[in-house]
Amino acid sequence: MTQQEPVTSRVEDGIAVIRIANPPVNALSAAVRGGLKRAAEAAAADPAVRAIVLAAEGKTFIAGADISEFGKPPVPPSLPETIAIFESLSKPVVAAINGAALGGGLEVALGCHARVAAPSAKLGLPEVTLGILPGAGGTQRLPRLIGAAPALKIMAEGKPISAKEAQANGLVDEVAEDVVAAARALALKLAGGTLPAVPKDRTNLGAREAFEEAAAAILKRNPNNPSVEACADAVRACFDKPFEEGLAVERAHFTRLRDDPRSAALRHVFFAERAAARIPGLPKGTGARPVAKAAVIGAGTMGGGIAMCFANAGIPVTLIETTEENLQRGLERVEGNYATSVKRGSLAEDAKAKRMGLIEGKVGLEAAADADLVVEAVFEEMGLKKEIFGKLQEIAKPGAILATNTSYLDVDEIAASTSRPADVLGMHFFSPANVMKLLEVVRAKETAPDALATAMEIGRKLAKVPVVSGVCYGFIGNRMLARRTAQAERLLLEGALPQDVDKALTDFGFRMGPFAMSDLAGIDVSWRIRKAMNLKTAPVADALAEAGRFGQKTKRGFYDYSADGRTGAPDPEVAALIERISAERGITRRPIPQEEILQRLLFPMINEGARILGEGIAARAGDIDTVWLNGYGWPSWTGGPMFYADSVGLPKIVARLREFAAASGDTNLEPAALLLRLAHEGSSFTALDEKAAA
Ligand code: T1G
């Protein structure tokens, strides 16, 4: 069987309809570019062709350059060359944008004389999210078509706009349900008159001052973002240079950014997130169970946030509590969260009413009877959870998925408390649940494949990034976090202060360090847990909590918040307290260089990640990266902990871990077996994932 041509052309009534069919998203692979070039040249040479329509099969128009070709030797024709061929045709070319036109896909459409878009189409230049800038003329053509300021906004934000917005700003000429029919009609009309100017020959840049003002605001919002800076510089060239020279400015930025390790990391992030959606070992054809209605047990902060996720996705949800009083408090909190969004302008009043309308509060577990998916979000107490799951086996309808939102507890043990363990799994949301994108889906021993597939699918419907984890204490994310937390405390005892530890992480790219984070979350929360478990692992945090320093809420914690309640200042009292504890333990404090602090925080996490991978708790190193990128604020341009480990070099990490283990006597810091093996073989986590995928 011969493979279907990715680009075909058919002439009918004087119009050549050139169609791209390169599933799943019509990316502009070498074969597509070659096909487009040939089709354009054939249409140009065919006297029967009066006009051309450029269309695509499937749900998307063109999702852009083929990201998997980056970093490989270029195959001609290049995308800029392909676009230039269409642009120079003396017959009108109309793009029929049936779905997403992103990156190079939009740039192709910008090389046409006119654009028609379907109402559901999305148009955008998301290159900044990949650490680059539009590289096929987008920075020069879009500003000339819709104005420099609005064009820069689209590039810098990387978020696509709707067809309606695109029509309003002049990016598309028409919005129509049947894009090909509309594009044909427009093409015929254009063929009968004078050819409209292509975007490169337009002059609609707008006022320079307006652009400079917009650029200054955008650069301020995106500090130290080389992609955004490059976008601004390239768009500025539209004012200062002729089109061809502007293209050269764009190209220079593009090649520099594309070859920067940060862009390689961001490409890894893109593919890792998508790979995480694939569950290894699932029988072929495993479908998801239908979920028309959900129930959430427990209307605390977490339960309320989870209920909001369902309502936001348009899924009716019952929020269940044990008493009317708790229920009312929970519902009020949800209402308050929505009200804040309305006040901020991110949610319309009627949308709020609609979402609140999807959340029904009820007292008593019996209210879970009509739910297809039940999420338990009560206290982290095994006894309580078992009791609830025991009751649910009677109450929940047959086939309903029974999920626990536990952060640490053994999901197998919870599953064993019901007669239907195949329906049980973990759905671990991250706080605030309605905001954080990560969802750890915990696969227990007995979890049915279709139950797992359902949780993953629902996760995506809730706009989360779902990642499968096996059962272990803390699952993927918190198990690794515990290693970092332990080291952060150790560093304080050995000579660092909270601000030194936090700075190492914020300089690395985290928005917050662990101590600022503790102050925000409340030091008392983990203190109470440690007390209950009789743990003495965090002497500094314990001493602060015992002194009533709970963090921001008491204006004092690791930092002093007396200035405005939010900005933490280093506190000499805290330094004195830490020095006292060091002395009590006979530890001679020493200055610890920032690089060592960073390694002490990150390498043990990577080591734990290697254990998690070695034990099969995570299926891929990329899954671990996805967890940390979406749940813990790991800086995306370093690719996540495991990708970062590869970039540091595994032998170096092994050597440092051995030194840390020897110095502290902590056997947890001994390099994990998998890490040792990969380092020894000269391999990497990336190579391991590639091998598993092949
Ligand atoms: N290249 C290669 N593969 C891609 C791809 C792309 N551009 N886009 C998607 N895929 C794969 C993806 O890995 C997945 O594969 C499958 O398609 C379905 O994707 C010169 C330099 C279009 C909105 O950044 O935003 O143009 O996992 O799960 O939810 O200036 O894909 O199934 O094997 O995301 O329906 C700029 C990226 C490129 C757009 C569809 N373009 N794509 O979402 O499906 S740079 C982008 C998306 C560029 C020029 C430059 C989304 C989508 P697999 P999916 P979806």
Side-chain angles (χ1 to χ4, degrees), residues 36-52:
L36 284 174
K37 181 179 179 203
R38 281 192 297 281
E41 285 166 353
D46 185 346
V49 173
R50 298 177 59 212
I52 296 158

Side-chain angles (χ1 to χ4, degrees), residues 24-25 63-67 70 104 107 126-127 132 134-135 270-271 274 278:
V25 294
D66 186 336
I67 304 170
F70 283 45
E107 290 174 301
E127 284 86 346
I132 48 176
F270 177 84
F271 286 118
R274 279 153 183 87
R278 289 191 285 273

